[in-house]
């Protein structure tokens, strides 16, 4: 064959490859933003648990689909993007420790899979970590970061409109899902308040940073919606956490501009409103009761959770196994609980999501996860110091993820909030790495031989089939 024809074939092959990779990248990005938009509002009527289980199924199948698309692109290009970061090593150790704990669990099938909406199983934690890596890989620019928050904000508007009719007007928009005043599209009533508190923080920072534009007006409207919804739930933990993080944000603004006038803007006004709600919580509670809103939630105290953890780790440093707090609770619950009316109450989690993992996942997993969070904090504050005032998405994503991790410590958060915490952490770490605001590395492209890749992909796909079938059959 003549040489010029060979060069034309190579050029045509490169163009085809580039077109394919561009299509895969756009498909992955679009699916990622679609997940971010659908997740807070996704529910299916005529099912036993229209919100919790269906959200988890959405996450499982969509994240697995993203992984398949990602592996398909790796097969086509012969290269794979690998994040070379210390925090990724800690997360891998965290999953390895969780896997070891699952093998020695008091109930292995509960630890490995559990129910679809269980937040502490090995399957759920693996999906969360994979989602973080995907968010880290996709969030490669300010534009992509904006699209993430736009998708989340648009979804919140739907959540607010649904709740406004459901709770305030008492006109259910979707009666087949539920008619209770506290029923919502996100999760439990308190989790809805935590989510709306997150949107207060995000909307306030967007409204402060954006120039005068329709998007700024939308941010202010969303801020008003989020404040109304947060007040409707009126969870004191949300108000105090928001106040603390807004003080941190105001200190950041002052350090960037060295001008006291920079403080008296939208975040400062929101902080004043929050302080008013904190000191008038009793009056707010009376107003909420007048609407007929009643919600009661019981969970173990921090000291009770700590006592159960100490006794459990005394037996086995690997813990009772992921997702098995209820077994540890009945075995080691404090004596004063036995003498109360709650002695037979099944607590599936302790005081908070992370304190519960001390009992269930064991020492190795918890230490690795705490190391990840410590590195996350270090990366966040270092990024804030190095970031320019124009890159406001760094503080937004960092403080948003920090807000969710605080609640992972102080509250028994469920599947939706933990998923968002991992997702937003990935967005922040991706933005920080690509802007050079930290010492961490961006994902590096590593050679991956197509033959080896196909073998690995085929083997892993077939190995997942029994587990997937078991989970689906168990859910039914």
């Amino acid at each position: 064959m003549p040489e010029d024809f060979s060069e034309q074939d190579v050029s045509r092959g490169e163009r085809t490859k580039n077109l394919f990779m561009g299509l895969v990248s756009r498909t992955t990005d679009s699916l990622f933003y679609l997940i971010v938009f659908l997740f807070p509002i996704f529910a299916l009527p005529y099912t036993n648990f229209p919100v919790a289980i269906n959200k988890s199924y959405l996450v499982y199948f969509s994240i697995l689909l993203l992984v398949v698309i990602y592996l398909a692109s790796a097969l086509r290009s012969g290269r794979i993007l690998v994040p070379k970061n210390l925090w990724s090593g800690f997360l891998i150790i965290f999953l390895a420790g969780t896997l070891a704990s699952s093998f020695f669990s008091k109930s292995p099938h509960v630890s490995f899979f559990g129910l679809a909406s269980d937040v502490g199983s090995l399957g759920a934690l693996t999906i969360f970590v994979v989602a973080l890596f995907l968010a880290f890989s996709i969030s490669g620019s300010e534009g992509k970061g904006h699209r993430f928050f736009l998708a989340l904000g648009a979804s919140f508007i739907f959540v607010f409109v649904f709740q406004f009719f459901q709770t305030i007007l008492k006109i259910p928009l979707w009666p087949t899902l539920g008619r209770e005043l506290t029923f919502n599209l996100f999760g439990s009533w308190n989790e809805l308040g935590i989510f709306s508190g997150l949107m207060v923080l995000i909307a306030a920072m967007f409204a402060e940073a954006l120039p005068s534009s329709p998007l700024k007006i939308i941010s202010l409207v969303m801020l008003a919606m989020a404040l109304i919804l947060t007040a409707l739930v009126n969870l004191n933990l949300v108000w105090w956490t928001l106040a603390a993080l807004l003080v941190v944000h105001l200190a950041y603004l002052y350090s960037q501009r060295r001008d006291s006038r920079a403080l008296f803007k939208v975040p400062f006004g929101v902080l004043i409103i929050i302080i008013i709600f904190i000191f008038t919580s009793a009056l707010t509670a009376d107003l909420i009761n007048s609407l007929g809103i009643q919600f009661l939630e019981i969970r173990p105290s921090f000291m009770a959770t700590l006592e159960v953890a100490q006794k459990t780790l005394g037996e086995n440093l690997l813990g009772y196994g992921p997702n098995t707090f209820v077994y540890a609770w009945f075995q080691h619950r404090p004596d004063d609980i036995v003498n109360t009316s709650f002695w037979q109450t099944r607590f599936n989690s302790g005081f908070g999501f992370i304190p519960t993992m001390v009992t269930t996942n064991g020492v190795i997993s918890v230490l690795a996860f705490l190391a990840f969070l410590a590195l996350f904090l270090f990366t966040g504050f270092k990024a804030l110091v190095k970031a320019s005032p124009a890159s406001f998405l760094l503080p937004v994503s960092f403080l948003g993820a920090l807000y969710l991790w605080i609640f992972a410590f102080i509250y028994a958060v469920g599947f939706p909030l933990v998923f968002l915490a991992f997702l937003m952490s990935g967005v922040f770490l991706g933005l920080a790495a690509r802007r050079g605001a930290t010492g961490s590395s961006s994902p590096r492209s590593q050679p991956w031989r197509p033959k080896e890749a196909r073998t690995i992909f085929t083997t892993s796909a077939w190995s997942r089939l029994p587990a997937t079938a078991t989970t689906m059959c168990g859910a039914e």
Side-chain angles (χ1 to χ4, degrees), residues 194-212:
I194 296 171
F195 177 57
S196 63
L198 171 67
M199 298 312 299
V200 168
L201 184 65
I202 293 174
M205 296 175 72
F206 261 79
E208 186 276 331
L210 291 173
S212 297

Side-chain angles (χ1 to χ4, degrees), residues 3-19:
E3 186 177 353
D4 57 339
F5 284 99
S6 179
E7 291 177 356
Q8 289 177 6
D9 291 341
V10 171
S11 178
R12 189 180 298 110
E14 287 296 323
R15 287 198 300 269
T16 303
K17 180 178 178 180
N18 291 335
L19 287 173

Side-chain angles (χ1 to χ4, degrees), residues 17 20-28 65-81 134 445 448 450 453 457:
K17 180 178 178 180
F20 174 80
M21 296 304 298
L23 177 62
V24 168
S25 177
R26 289 191 296 273
T27 302
T28 303
L65 179 59
L66 279 173
V67 170
V68 169
I69 296 174
Y70 180 76
L71 290 177
S73 66
L75 288 170
R76 183 68 176 82
S77 64
R79 305 185 72 85
I80 184 171
L81 292 177
L134 288 172
S445 181
W448 198 19
F457 174 71

Side-chain angles (χ1 to χ4, degrees), residues 160-394:
F160 173 80
V161 171
F162 177 91
Q163 209 59 44
F164 183 79
F165 279 89
Q166 181 84 11
T167 305
I168 297 179
L169 300 183
K170 300 180 181 179
I171 304 174
L173 293 180
W174 208 343
T176 54
L177 287 175
R179 294 180 175 272
E180 300 86 359
L181 295 181
T182 57
F183 177 83
N184 63 91
L185 296 176
F186 188 77
S188 72
W189 184 243
N190 284 344
E191 285 181 322
L192 175 65
I194 296 171
F195 177 57
S196 63
L198 171 67
M199 298 312 299
V200 168
L201 184 65
I202 293 174
M205 296 175 72
F206 261 79
E208 186 276 331
L210 291 173
S212 297
S213 63
L215 192 57
K216 186 182 184 75
I217 296 174
I218 293 173
S219 298
L220 290 171
V221 172
M222 191 181 303
L223 175 59
M225 291 178 176
L227 283 170
I228 292 171
L229 195 52
T230 305
L232 198 61
V233 178
N234 195 34
L235 185 62
N236 281 331
L237 289 174
V238 173
W239 296 127
W240 283 104
T241 305
L242 280 175
L245 291 180
L246 283 173
V247 169
V248 172
H249 179 57
L250 289 172
Y252 164 75
L253 290 178
Y254 180 77
S255 67
Q256 289 287 326
R257 300 170 186 176
R258 298 295 179 182
D259 185 356
S260 59
R261 290 176 297 179
L263 300 178
F264 299 100
K265 292 190 176 182
V266 175
F268 182 79
V270 174
L271 179 60
I272 297 299
I273 294 173
I274 289 172
I275 292 174
I276 293 173
F277 274 113
I278 290 175
F279 286 100
T280 61
S281 59
L283 177 61
T284 306
D286 291 338
L287 292 174
I288 293 173
N289 290 334
S290 67
L291 293 174
I293 299 174
Q294 299 290 334
F295 181 78
L296 179 64
E297 191 172 66
I298 303 170
R299 57 183 172 133
S301 66
F302 177 75
M303 294 307 299
T305 304
L306 183 61
E307 182 176 338
V308 172
Q310 288 175 338
K311 292 179 180 179
T312 301
L313 295 180
E315 294 180 3
N316 188 352
L317 291 178
L318 291 177
Y320 259 44
N323 206 32
T324 60
F325 182 83
V326 64
Y327 300 107
W329 174 258
F330 278 124
Q331 185 68 28
H332 299 299
R333 62 188 183 274
D335 295 333
D336 54 350
I337 299 294
V338 177
N339 298 322
T340 67
S341 58
F342 301 108
W343 70 280
Q344 277 190 321
T345 304
R346 293 174 60 89
F347 291 112
N348 292 318
S349 60
F351 177 76
F353 170 71
I354 294 176
T356 299
M357 287 201 301
V358 179
T359 299
T360 57
N361 293 35
V363 174
I364 298 174
S365 292
V366 171
L367 288 180
F369 195 71
L370 291 177
F372 161 74
L373 290 180
L375 192 58
F376 166 80
L377 285 174
F378 174 77
T379 302
F381 287 112
K382 188 177 179 181
L384 294 184
V385 171
K386 289 189 174 184
S388 64
S391 59
F392 73 96
L393 286 184
L394 276 176

